[in-house]
Amino acid sequence: MKLIDLNKYYFHDSSILEIVKTNDVIKLKIDFCLFMQDNYIE
């Protein structure tokens, strides 16, 4: 996924758990808030 693709998601109440940078790559581990997404189905 590219950084620009993150605009598709709503990150309210989500938490970044880890950030790892290696050369040109940044990896994020996110505790993602699923129920805040437009396509969420309970």
Side-chain angles (χ1 to χ4, degrees):
M1 177 183 294
K2 295 187 183 235
L3 191 56
I4 193 77
D5 295 331
L6 294 177
N7 287 332
K8 300 176 188 174
Y9 303 99
Y10 187 62
F11 286 95
H12 182 76
D13 284 343
S14 296
S15 300
I16 295 176
L17 303 175
E18 182 179 10
I19 301 173
V20 177
K21 181 184 179 295
T22 308
N23 299 324
D24 293 345
V25 176
I26 298 173
K27 293 183 181 180
L28 300 174
K29 185 184 271 187
I30 300 173
D31 185 11
F32 192 59
C33 188
L34 295 173
F35 70 88
M36 295 297 291
Q37 307 311 307
D38 290 337
N39 60 352
Y40 177 75
I41 299 171
E42 191 171 326

